[in-house]
């Protein structure tokens, strides 16, 4: 499926992100229950394929990986090779972080950030070797306002060359200054044309600070992809705040479905990622499309919003496990 076709579709789609299952360690809450002790390469490869099968069967058509998500690209490539008839999906990945945990959960560093043109060239070749022409979207991973990717003209030219060859170019953001990064990226042009066609940002019931900038990006023609809609598990049972649990009970849905439904209703949202680690979580996430939240419920959920710096400080303290 051409990326443009998915981007133009309304209402927002739910996609599947592979951050939590492409590597043994991550910061999501509840991983011990989700994954258990067996986190071998083959165990997570099997789990990834099961999730991809379940997602595709239930209508999910966007799949999101990254060079730093362990073997996520490899697992996705294996799945695609085994299913040559699957030709109606969009595959996205990201470059800019290198996975350094060597398949452990207790590494000193799990990933190293580098937004240089040299890293782009190396990781673009690595992604191409695995995904070939199945890669539709390639994003700079976690752009912040001080990222050299926003000012490196040589990098911009190389990305524009990839775009001219048919690859959609985008960026993701993280941190309390996401809105500043988004607006800076919107100003990046090559030969007078905007470089980026997508933006992937954190947005959820606890962290909504990027919302106005994401609306601007949508208005400028970019497709908005939302990550971490579950706040790394903080909005799932049993960790969800009481206000969210109450609304979930009122709607006869799970807290995760309500949390994702809150994002799906945003008029600028194009794809909202599920970060499910189990097929049961995926099925529950997909119920978000059925949620019908009234104004009173939306008002109560609005009280959950945190100061962005406090939110990101909390996220920074979550352990890799």
């Amino acid at each position: 499926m051409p990326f443009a076709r998915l981007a133009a579709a309304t209402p927002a789609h739910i996609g599947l992100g592979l951050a939590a299952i492409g590597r043994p360690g991550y910061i999501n809450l509840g991983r011990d229950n989700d994954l258990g002790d067996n986190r071998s390469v083959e165990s997570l490869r099997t789990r990834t394929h099961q999730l991809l099968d379940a997602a595709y069967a239930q209508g999910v058509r966007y799949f999101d990986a990254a060079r730093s998500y362990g073997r996520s690209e490899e697992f996705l490539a294996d799945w695609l090779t085994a299913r040559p008839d699957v030709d109606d999906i969009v595959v996205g990945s990201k470059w800019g972080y290198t996975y350094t945990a060597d398949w452990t959960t207790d590494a000193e560093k799990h990933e190293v950030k580098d937004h240089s043109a040299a890293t782009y060239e190396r990781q673009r070749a690595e992604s191409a070797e695995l995904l070939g022409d199945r890669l539709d979207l390639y994003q700079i991973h976690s752009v912040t306002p001080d990222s050299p990717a926003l000012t490196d003209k040589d990098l911009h030219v190389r990305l524009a060359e990839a775009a001219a060859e048919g690859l959609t170019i985008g960026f993701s953001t993280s941190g309390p200054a996401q809105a500043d990064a988004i607006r800076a990226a919107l100003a990046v042009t090559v030969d007078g044309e905007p470089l980026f066609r997508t933006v992937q940002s954190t947005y959820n019931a606890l962290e909504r600070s990027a919302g106005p900038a994401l609306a601007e990006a949508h208005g400028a023609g970019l497709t908005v992809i939302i990550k971490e809609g579950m706040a790394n598990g903080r909005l799932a049972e049993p960790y969800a705040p009481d206000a969210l649990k109450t609304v979930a009970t009122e709607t006869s849905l799970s807290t995760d479905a309500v949390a994702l439904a809150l994002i799906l209703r945003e008029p600028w949202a194009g794809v909202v990622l599920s970060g499910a680690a189990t097929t049961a979580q995926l099925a529950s996430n997909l119920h978000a499309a059925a949620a019908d939240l009234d104004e009173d419920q939306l008002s109560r959920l609005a009280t959950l919003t945190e100061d962005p710096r406090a939110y990101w400080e909390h996220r920074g303290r979550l352990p890799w496990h």
Side-chain angles (χ1 to χ4, degrees):
M1 177 191 291
F3 184 84
R5 195 191 316 167
L6 179 67
T10 54
H13 286 265
I14 291 182
L16 178 63
L18 305 182
I21 52 172
R23 54 194 166 182
Y26 193 48
I27 61 173
N28 282 0
L29 302 176
R31 282 178 68 77
D32 290 341
N33 289 330
D34 295 341
L35 301 184
D37 295 329
N38 184 1
R39 303 188 194 181
S40 67
V41 172
E42 291 311 311
S43 175
L44 289 188
R45 188 192 310 273
T46 298
R47 179 183 292 269
T48 300
H49 291 181
Q50 290 171 343
L51 274 163
L52 290 167
D53 281 338
Y56 186 78
Q58 295 174 84
V60 175
R61 292 296 182 267
Y62 177 74
F63 299 103
D64 181 86
R67 289 301 307 145
S68 63
Y69 295 170
R71 298 197 180 195
S72 63
E73 288 184 333
E74 175 188 328
F75 295 166
L76 179 54
D78 291 344
W79 182 78
L80 289 168
T81 299
R83 293 156 183 79
D85 57 325
V86 174
D87 60 359
D88 59 343
I89 67 170
V90 173
V91 172
S93 194
K94 294 177 286 295
W95 70 272
Y97 275 85
T98 299
Y99 178 66
T100 58
D102 194 27
W103 211 257
T104 65
T105 59
D106 57 356
E108 182 176 351
K109 282 186 176 294
H110 289 258
E111 51 193 16
V112 174
K113 184 177 183 178
D114 183 352
H115 283 170
S116 67
T119 294
Y120 163 71
E121 294 291 353
R122 172 175 60 82
Q123 294 196 316
R124 177 71 186 96
E126 292 166 348
S127 295
E129 182 177 0
L130 289 168
L131 293 166
D133 61 5
R134 298 306 303 268
L135 181 64
D136 302 293
L137 167 64
Y138 212 40
Q139 302 174 97
I140 308 174
H141 201 164
S142 291
V143 170
T144 52
D146 60 350
S147 171
L150 292 171
T151 55
D152 187 337
K153 300 300 185 183
D154 177 52
L155 173 62
H156 298 166
V157 169
R158 299 187 194 197
L159 292 172
E161 289 171 350
E165 295 171 358
L167 190 65
T168 298
I169 299 300
F171 66 98
S172 73
T173 65
S174 61
Q178 287 189 110
D180 293 338
I182 293 166
R183 292 183 173 113
L186 291 177
V188 174
T189 61
V190 176
D191 294 332
E193 295 296 324
L195 176 61
F196 300 113
R197 306 311 309 155
T198 71
V199 53
Q200 180 171 316
S201 296
T202 296
Y203 183 88
N204 56 56
L206 305 178
E207 217 300 49
R208 306 192 197 198
S209 63
L214 291 172
E216 292 171 26
H218 173 75
L222 277 70
T223 297
V224 175
I225 303 169
I226 296 301
K227 62 184 175 76
E228 299 183 350
M230 297 301 302
N232 299 104
R234 293 177 62 194
L235 299 174
E237 293 282 2
Y239 312 101
D242 289 343
L244 179 56
K245 290 179 179 178
T246 299
V247 172
T249 298
E250 293 169 357
T251 58
S252 299
L253 292 170
S254 56
T255 58
D256 58 278
V258 173
L260 295 181
L262 190 66
I263 308 168
L264 287 171
R265 68 184 304 278
E266 295 290 358
W268 39 257
V271 178
V272 178
L273 294 178
S274 162
T278 69
T279 54
Q281 288 175 351
L282 174 65
S284 184
N285 287 176
L286 291 172
H287 284 131
D292 185 15
L293 304 175
D294 63 32
E295 290 303 318
D296 176 64
Q297 291 166 335
L298 292 170
S299 295
R300 282 181 277 148
L301 293 174
T303 66
L304 299 177
T305 305
E306 299 177 355
D307 173 81
R309 292 195 177 276
Y311 174 88
W312 288 97
E313 287 173 3
H314 184 122
R315 185 184 183 280
R317 293 192 300 270
L318 295 175
W320 290 76
H321 60 98

